[in-house]
mmCIF file of all heavy atoms in Angstrom:
data_model
loop_
_atom_site.group_PDB
_atom_site.id
_atom_site.type_symbol
_atom_site.label_atom_id
_atom_site.label_comp_id
_atom_site.label_asym_id
_atom_site.label_seq_id
_atom_site.Cartn_x
_atom_site.Cartn_y
_atom_site.Cartn_z
ATOM 1 N N LEU A 895 -14.853 -5.931 14.705
ATOM 2 C CA LEU A 895 -15.235 -6.175 16.108
ATOM 3 C C LEU A 895 -16.682 -5.749 16.269
ATOM 4 O O LEU A 895 -17.130 -4.751 15.694
ATOM 5 C CB LEU A 895 -14.344 -5.345 16.994
ATOM 6 C CG LEU A 895 -12.893 -5.735 17.071
ATOM 7 C CD1 LEU A 895 -12.082 -4.667 17.839
ATOM 8 C CD2 LEU A 895 -12.761 -7.083 17.774
ATOM 9 N N SER A 896 -17.442 -6.513 17.132
ATOM 10 C CA SER A 896 -18.844 -6.206 17.328
ATOM 11 C C SER A 896 -19.084 -5.247 18.529
ATOM 12 O O SER A 896 -20.175 -4.875 18.756
ATOM 13 C CB SER A 896 -19.636 -7.484 17.510
ATOM 14 O OG SER A 896 -19.063 -8.154 18.643
ATOM 15 N N ASN A 897 -17.976 -4.945 19.250
ATOM 16 C CA ASN A 897 -18.148 -4.060 20.433
ATOM 17 C C ASN A 897 -17.807 -2.657 20.170
ATOM 18 O O ASN A 897 -17.547 -1.844 21.126
ATOM 19 C CB ASN A 897 -17.341 -4.609 21.637
ATOM 20 C CG ASN A 897 -15.876 -4.711 21.334
ATOM 21 O OD1 ASN A 897 -15.421 -4.851 20.200
ATOM 22 N ND2 ASN A 897 -15.068 -4.682 22.408
ATOM 23 N N LEU A 898 -17.736 -2.275 18.873
ATOM 24 C CA LEU A 898 -17.409 -0.869 18.514
ATOM 25 C C LEU A 898 -18.599 -0.211 17.833
ATOM 26 O O LEU A 898 -19.044 -0.705 16.779
ATOM 27 C CB LEU A 898 -16.210 -0.828 17.501
ATOM 28 C CG LEU A 898 -14.872 -1.074 18.146
ATOM 29 C CD1 LEU A 898 -13.889 -1.538 17.095
ATOM 30 C CD2 LEU A 898 -14.345 0.222 18.780
ATOM 31 N N MET A 899 -19.159 0.838 18.419
ATOM 32 C CA MET A 899 -20.327 1.506 17.923
ATOM 33 C C MET A 899 -19.900 2.562 16.878
ATOM 34 O O MET A 899 -18.783 2.980 16.874
ATOM 35 C CB MET A 899 -21.070 2.158 19.057
ATOM 36 C CG MET A 899 -21.647 1.225 20.051
ATOM 37 S SD MET A 899 -22.813 0.061 19.334
ATOM 38 C CE MET A 899 -21.881 -1.475 19.427
ATOM 39 N N PRO A 900 -20.796 2.994 16.038
ATOM 40 C CA PRO A 900 -20.456 4.039 14.986
ATOM 41 C C PRO A 900 -19.984 5.298 15.748
ATOM 42 O O PRO A 900 -20.413 5.568 16.826
ATOM 43 C CB PRO A 900 -21.796 4.262 14.282
ATOM 44 C CG PRO A 900 -22.582 3.043 14.555
ATOM 45 C CD PRO A 900 -22.181 2.527 15.842
ATOM 46 N N PRO A 901 -19.153 6.137 15.084
ATOM 47 C CA PRO A 901 -18.581 7.283 15.811
ATOM 48 C C PRO A 901 -19.626 8.370 16.175
ATOM 49 O O PRO A 901 -20.573 8.571 15.431
ATOM 50 C CB PRO A 901 -17.634 7.881 14.769
ATOM 51 C CG PRO A 901 -17.385 6.846 13.783
ATOM 52 C CD PRO A 901 -18.565 5.895 13.796
ATOM 53 N N HIS A 902 -19.374 8.908 17.350
ATOM 54 C CA HIS A 902 -20.190 10.090 17.724
ATOM 55 C C HIS A 902 -19.385 11.335 17.255
ATOM 56 O O HIS A 902 -18.243 11.225 16.832
ATOM 57 C CB HIS A 902 -20.369 10.125 19.255
ATOM 58 C CG HIS A 902 -19.090 10.168 20.054
ATOM 59 N ND1 HIS A 902 -18.298 11.309 20.069
ATOM 60 C CD2 HIS A 902 -18.392 9.236 20.739
ATOM 61 C CE1 HIS A 902 -17.212 11.061 20.806
ATOM 62 N NE2 HIS A 902 -17.234 9.821 21.170
ATOM 63 N N ASP A 903 -20.030 12.532 17.421
ATOM 64 C CA ASP A 903 -19.270 13.702 16.989
ATOM 65 C C ASP A 903 -19.213 14.702 18.138
ATOM 66 O O ASP A 903 -19.309 15.968 17.934
ATOM 67 C CB ASP A 903 -20.014 14.371 15.778
ATOM 68 C CG ASP A 903 -21.392 14.812 16.078
ATOM 69 O OD1 ASP A 903 -21.897 14.581 17.220
ATOM 70 O OD2 ASP A 903 -22.077 15.396 15.169
ATOM 71 N N ILE A 904 -19.042 14.204 19.381
ATOM 72 C CA ILE A 904 -19.046 15.043 20.526
ATOM 73 C C ILE A 904 -17.912 16.078 20.554
ATOM 74 O O ILE A 904 -16.756 15.716 20.446
ATOM 75 C CB ILE A 904 -18.979 14.182 21.840
ATOM 76 C CG1 ILE A 904 -20.221 13.360 21.942
ATOM 77 C CG2 ILE A 904 -18.762 15.084 23.071
ATOM 78 C CD1 ILE A 904 -20.172 12.339 23.132
ATOM 79 N N ASP A 905 -18.288 17.347 20.710
ATOM 80 C CA ASP A 905 -17.406 18.441 20.970
ATOM 81 C C ASP A 905 -17.640 18.761 22.468
ATOM 82 O O ASP A 905 -18.759 19.175 22.821
ATOM 83 C CB ASP A 905 -17.684 19.613 20.102
ATOM 84 C CG ASP A 905 -16.820 20.837 20.418
ATOM 85 O OD1 ASP A 905 -16.366 20.996 21.577
ATOM 86 O OD2 ASP A 905 -16.568 21.643 19.495
ATOM 87 N N VAL A 906 -16.620 18.513 23.304
ATOM 88 C CA VAL A 906 -16.841 18.612 24.773
ATOM 89 C C VAL A 906 -17.211 20.082 25.181
ATOM 90 O O VAL A 906 -17.668 20.247 26.316
ATOM 91 C CB VAL A 906 -15.684 18.089 25.593
ATOM 92 C CG1 VAL A 906 -15.604 16.566 25.560
ATOM 93 C CG2 VAL A 906 -14.394 18.717 25.191
ATOM 94 N N THR A 907 -16.966 21.020 24.307
ATOM 95 C CA THR A 907 -17.273 22.427 24.706
ATOM 96 C C THR A 907 -18.776 22.740 24.476
ATOM 97 O O THR A 907 -19.256 23.791 24.898
ATOM 98 C CB THR A 907 -16.444 23.463 23.959
ATOM 99 O OG1 THR A 907 -16.663 23.341 22.564
ATOM 100 C CG2 THR A 907 -14.940 23.254 24.243
ATOM 101 N N ASN A 908 -19.450 21.797 23.831
ATOM 102 C CA ASN A 908 -20.934 21.978 23.640
ATOM 103 C C ASN A 908 -21.679 21.522 24.871
ATOM 104 O O ASN A 908 -21.386 20.454 25.337
ATOM 105 C CB ASN A 908 -21.454 21.227 22.435
ATOM 106 C CG ASN A 908 -20.982 21.795 21.135
ATOM 107 O OD1 ASN A 908 -20.625 22.963 21.059
ATOM 108 N ND2 ASN A 908 -21.007 21.052 20.089
ATOM 109 N N ASP A 909 -22.716 22.276 25.213
ATOM 110 C CA ASP A 909 -23.496 21.902 26.371
ATOM 111 C C ASP A 909 -24.183 20.546 26.107
ATOM 112 O O ASP A 909 -24.651 20.325 24.972
ATOM 113 C CB ASP A 909 -24.647 22.937 26.579
ATOM 114 C CG ASP A 909 -24.221 24.014 27.476
ATOM 115 O OD1 ASP A 909 -23.102 23.912 28.071
ATOM 116 O OD2 ASP A 909 -24.968 25.013 27.696
ATOM 117 N N HIS A 910 -24.155 19.667 27.031
ATOM 118 C CA HIS A 910 -24.815 18.386 26.988
ATOM 119 C C HIS A 910 -24.284 17.453 25.968
ATOM 120 O O HIS A 910 -24.795 16.330 25.714
ATOM 121 C CB HIS A 910 -26.321 18.533 26.799
ATOM 122 C CG HIS A 910 -26.961 19.378 27.896
ATOM 123 N ND1 HIS A 910 -27.092 18.903 29.167
ATOM 124 C CD2 HIS A 910 -27.388 20.630 27.932
ATOM 125 C CE1 HIS A 910 -27.636 19.832 29.931
ATOM 126 N NE2 HIS A 910 -27.796 20.894 29.183
ATOM 127 N N TRP A 911 -23.229 17.828 25.261
ATOM 128 C CA TRP A 911 -22.500 16.928 24.292
ATOM 129 C C TRP A 911 -23.457 16.371 23.193
ATOM 130 O O TRP A 911 -23.077 15.402 22.506
ATOM 131 C CB TRP A 911 -21.837 15.772 25.050
ATOM 132 C CG TRP A 911 -20.704 16.209 25.911
ATOM 133 C CD1 TRP A 911 -20.302 17.445 26.191
ATOM 134 C CD2 TRP A 911 -19.861 15.344 26.660
ATOM 135 N NE1 TRP A 911 -19.215 17.450 27.024
ATOM 136 C CE2 TRP A 911 -18.920 16.116 27.340
ATOM 137 C CE3 TRP A 911 -19.756 13.954 26.824
ATOM 138 C CZ2 TRP A 911 -17.974 15.621 28.181
ATOM 139 C CZ3 TRP A 911 -18.769 13.408 27.661
ATOM 140 C CH2 TRP A 911 -17.877 14.267 28.332
ATOM 141 N N GLY A 912 -24.613 16.921 23.106
ATOM 142 C CA GLY A 912 -25.541 16.478 22.028
ATOM 143 C C GLY A 912 -26.067 15.037 22.193
ATOM 144 O O GLY A 912 -26.490 14.452 21.217
ATOM 145 N N ILE A 913 -25.983 14.506 23.406
ATOM 146 C CA ILE A 913 -26.510 13.163 23.584
ATOM 147 C C ILE A 913 -27.579 13.196 24.715
ATOM 148 O O ILE A 913 -27.560 14.121 25.550
ATOM 149 C CB ILE A 913 -25.440 12.091 23.893
ATOM 150 C CG1 ILE A 913 -24.459 12.634 25.002
ATOM 151 C CG2 ILE A 913 -24.672 11.712 22.649
ATOM 152 C CD1 ILE A 913 -23.387 11.637 25.375
ATOM 153 N N SER A 914 -28.382 12.181 24.754
ATOM 154 C CA SER A 914 -29.513 12.152 25.700
ATOM 155 C C SER A 914 -29.001 12.244 27.157
ATOM 156 O O SER A 914 -27.954 11.705 27.535
ATOM 157 C CB SER A 914 -30.282 10.833 25.531
ATOM 158 O OG SER A 914 -30.618 10.298 26.747
ATOM 159 N N GLU A 915 -29.701 12.976 27.955
ATOM 160 C CA GLU A 915 -29.327 13.265 29.360
ATOM 161 C C GLU A 915 -29.270 11.959 30.142
ATOM 162 O O GLU A 915 -28.531 11.880 31.152
ATOM 163 C CB GLU A 915 -30.324 14.274 29.962
ATOM 164 C CG GLU A 915 -29.837 15.102 31.107
ATOM 165 C CD GLU A 915 -28.493 15.793 30.908
ATOM 166 O OE1 GLU A 915 -28.268 16.405 29.829
ATOM 167 O OE2 GLU A 915 -27.701 15.685 31.830
ATOM 168 N N GLU A 916 -29.981 10.940 29.699
ATOM 169 C CA GLU A 916 -30.026 9.671 30.500
ATOM 170 C C GLU A 916 -28.814 8.827 30.322
ATOM 171 O O GLU A 916 -28.553 7.894 31.011
ATOM 172 C CB GLU A 916 -31.252 8.790 29.972
ATOM 173 C CG GLU A 916 -32.597 9.253 30.615
ATOM 174 C CD GLU A 916 -33.110 10.508 29.939
ATOM 175 O OE1 GLU A 916 -33.222 10.465 28.674
ATOM 176 O OE2 GLU A 916 -33.313 11.478 30.661
ATOM 177 N N ARG A 917 -28.002 9.067 29.177
ATOM 178 C CA ARG A 917 -26.913 8.217 28.829
ATOM 179 C C ARG A 917 -25.768 8.355 29.826
ATOM 180 O O ARG A 917 -25.287 9.465 30.014
ATOM 181 C CB ARG A 917 -26.460 8.587 27.385
ATOM 182 C CG ARG A 917 -25.601 7.612 26.732
ATOM 183 C CD ARG A 917 -26.461 6.542 26.062
ATOM 184 N NE ARG A 917 -25.747 5.343 25.680
ATOM 185 C CZ ARG A 917 -25.470 4.397 26.565
ATOM 186 N NH1 ARG A 917 -25.760 4.426 27.783
ATOM 187 N NH2 ARG A 917 -24.838 3.277 26.117
ATOM 188 N N HIS A 918 -25.312 7.255 30.401
ATOM 189 C CA HIS A 918 -24.239 7.290 31.335
ATOM 190 C C HIS A 918 -23.126 6.262 30.884
ATOM 191 O O HIS A 918 -23.523 5.224 30.237
ATOM 192 C CB HIS A 918 -24.649 7.050 32.756
ATOM 193 C CG HIS A 918 -25.353 8.211 33.315
ATOM 194 N ND1 HIS A 918 -26.653 8.493 33.103
ATOM 195 C CD2 HIS A 918 -24.898 9.184 34.111
ATOM 196 C CE1 HIS A 918 -27.013 9.621 33.692
ATOM 197 N NE2 HIS A 918 -25.945 10.090 34.310
ATOM 198 N N TYR A 919 -21.890 6.477 31.268
ATOM 199 C CA TYR A 919 -20.810 5.586 30.827
ATOM 200 C C TYR A 919 -20.027 5.102 32.045
ATOM 201 O O TYR A 919 -19.766 5.870 32.981
ATOM 202 C CB TYR A 919 -19.914 6.299 29.878
ATOM 203 C CG TYR A 919 -20.616 6.792 28.618
ATOM 204 C CD1 TYR A 919 -21.239 7.988 28.575
ATOM 205 C CD2 TYR A 919 -20.801 5.894 27.543
ATOM 206 C CE1 TYR A 919 -21.912 8.378 27.440
ATOM 207 C CE2 TYR A 919 -21.439 6.295 26.378
ATOM 208 C CZ TYR A 919 -22.046 7.560 26.360
ATOM 209 O OH TYR A 919 -22.736 7.893 25.215
ATOM 210 N N ASP A 920 -19.568 3.838 31.977
ATOM 211 C CA ASP A 920 -18.745 3.305 33.069
ATOM 212 C C ASP A 920 -17.292 3.812 32.943
ATOM 213 O O ASP A 920 -16.553 3.820 33.851
ATOM 214 C CB ASP A 920 -18.771 1.789 32.921
ATOM 215 C CG ASP A 920 -20.197 1.283 32.991
ATOM 216 O OD1 ASP A 920 -20.757 1.274 34.136
ATOM 217 O OD2 ASP A 920 -20.774 0.997 31.937
ATOM 218 N N ILE A 921 -16.895 4.165 31.693
ATOM 219 C CA ILE A 921 -15.599 4.717 31.438
ATOM 220 C C ILE A 921 -15.722 5.867 30.491
ATOM 221 O O ILE A 921 -16.458 5.782 29.485
ATOM 222 C CB ILE A 921 -14.715 3.592 30.783
ATOM 223 C CG1 ILE A 921 -14.468 2.468 31.760
ATOM 224 C CG2 ILE A 921 -13.374 4.188 30.297
ATOM 225 C CD1 ILE A 921 -13.813 1.284 31.077
ATOM 226 N N ILE A 922 -14.994 6.954 30.794
ATOM 227 C CA ILE A 922 -14.782 8.022 29.783
ATOM 228 C C ILE A 922 -13.262 8.123 29.656
ATOM 229 O O ILE A 922 -12.506 8.131 30.644
ATOM 230 C CB ILE A 922 -15.466 9.342 30.161
ATOM 231 C CG1 ILE A 922 -16.955 9.102 30.313
ATOM 232 C CG2 ILE A 922 -15.097 10.450 29.202
ATOM 233 C CD1 ILE A 922 -17.770 10.296 30.690
ATOM 234 N N LEU A 923 -12.811 8.165 28.377
ATOM 235 C CA LEU A 923 -11.392 8.078 28.067
ATOM 236 C C LEU A 923 -11.027 9.232 27.180
ATOM 237 O O LEU A 923 -11.788 9.561 26.227
ATOM 238 C CB LEU A 923 -11.187 6.754 27.294
ATOM 239 C CG LEU A 923 -9.937 6.442 26.527
ATOM 240 C CD1 LEU A 923 -8.839 6.033 27.498
ATOM 241 C CD2 LEU A 923 -10.177 5.317 25.563
ATOM 242 N N SER A 924 -9.873 9.877 27.441
ATOM 243 C CA SER A 924 -9.445 10.895 26.516
ATOM 244 C C SER A 924 -7.928 10.877 26.469
ATOM 245 O O SER A 924 -7.218 11.110 27.453
ATOM 246 C CB SER A 924 -9.948 12.277 26.880
ATOM 247 O OG SER A 924 -9.640 13.196 25.882
ATOM 248 N N ILE A 925 -7.390 10.602 25.252
ATOM 249 C CA ILE A 925 -5.938 10.457 25.036
ATOM 250 C C ILE A 925 -5.472 11.675 24.246
ATOM 251 O O ILE A 925 -5.970 11.910 23.135
ATOM 252 C CB ILE A 925 -5.621 9.137 24.278
ATOM 253 C CG1 ILE A 925 -6.098 7.923 25.159
ATOM 254 C CG2 ILE A 925 -4.158 9.071 23.943
ATOM 255 C CD1 ILE A 925 -5.950 6.571 24.435
ATOM 256 N N ASN A 926 -4.479 12.442 24.750
ATOM 257 C CA ASN A 926 -3.860 13.515 24.060
ATOM 258 C C ASN A 926 -4.873 14.537 23.476
ATOM 259 O O ASN A 926 -4.819 14.978 22.354
ATOM 260 C CB ASN A 926 -3.150 12.993 22.816
ATOM 261 C CG ASN A 926 -1.799 12.262 23.237
ATOM 262 O OD1 ASN A 926 -1.183 12.683 24.186
ATOM 263 N ND2 ASN A 926 -1.501 11.205 22.534
ATOM 264 N N MET A 927 -5.799 14.958 24.387
ATOM 265 C CA MET A 927 -6.720 15.957 23.882
ATOM 266 C C MET A 927 -6.530 17.316 24.675
ATOM 267 O O MET A 927 -6.436 18.379 24.027
ATOM 268 C CB MET A 927 -8.126 15.499 24.024
ATOM 269 C CG MET A 927 -9.221 16.327 23.361
ATOM 270 S SD MET A 927 -9.904 17.619 24.314
ATOM 271 C CE MET A 927 -11.031 16.813 25.398
ATOM 272 N N ILE A 928 -6.422 17.284 25.996
ATOM 273 C CA ILE A 928 -6.646 18.561 26.748
ATOM 274 C C ILE A 928 -5.470 19.556 26.554
ATOM 275 O O ILE A 928 -5.653 20.674 26.779
ATOM 276 C CB ILE A 928 -6.889 18.337 28.285
ATOM 277 C CG1 ILE A 928 -5.722 17.546 28.964
ATOM 278 C CG2 ILE A 928 -8.196 17.629 28.512
ATOM 279 C CD1 ILE A 928 -5.883 17.476 30.486
ATOM 280 N N HIS A 929 -4.296 19.061 26.101
ATOM 281 C CA HIS A 929 -3.230 20.022 25.793
ATOM 282 C C HIS A 929 -3.215 20.475 24.336
ATOM 283 O O HIS A 929 -2.579 21.447 24.016
ATOM 284 C CB HIS A 929 -1.846 19.418 26.174
ATOM 285 C CG HIS A 929 -1.567 18.088 25.506
ATOM 286 N ND1 HIS A 929 -2.195 16.904 25.864
ATOM 287 C CD2 HIS A 929 -0.732 17.788 24.482
ATOM 288 C CE1 HIS A 929 -1.738 15.916 25.068
ATOM 289 N NE2 HIS A 929 -0.871 16.429 24.242
#
Side-chain angles (χ1 to χ4, degrees):
L895 293 169
S896 57
N897 59 335
L898 284 158
M899 297 299 110
H902 62 71
D903 62 357
I904 294 172
D905 177 331
V906 287
T907 61
N908 288 341
D909 270 355
H910 301 288
W911 293 3
I913 46 178
S914 139
E915 205 48 46
E916 280 76 54
R917 197 85 196 80
H918 287 80
Y919 299 91
D920 304 282
I921 295 170
I922 298 179
L923 165 80
S924 187
I925 298 173
N926 288 324
M927 192 270 286
I928 59 173
H929 55 287

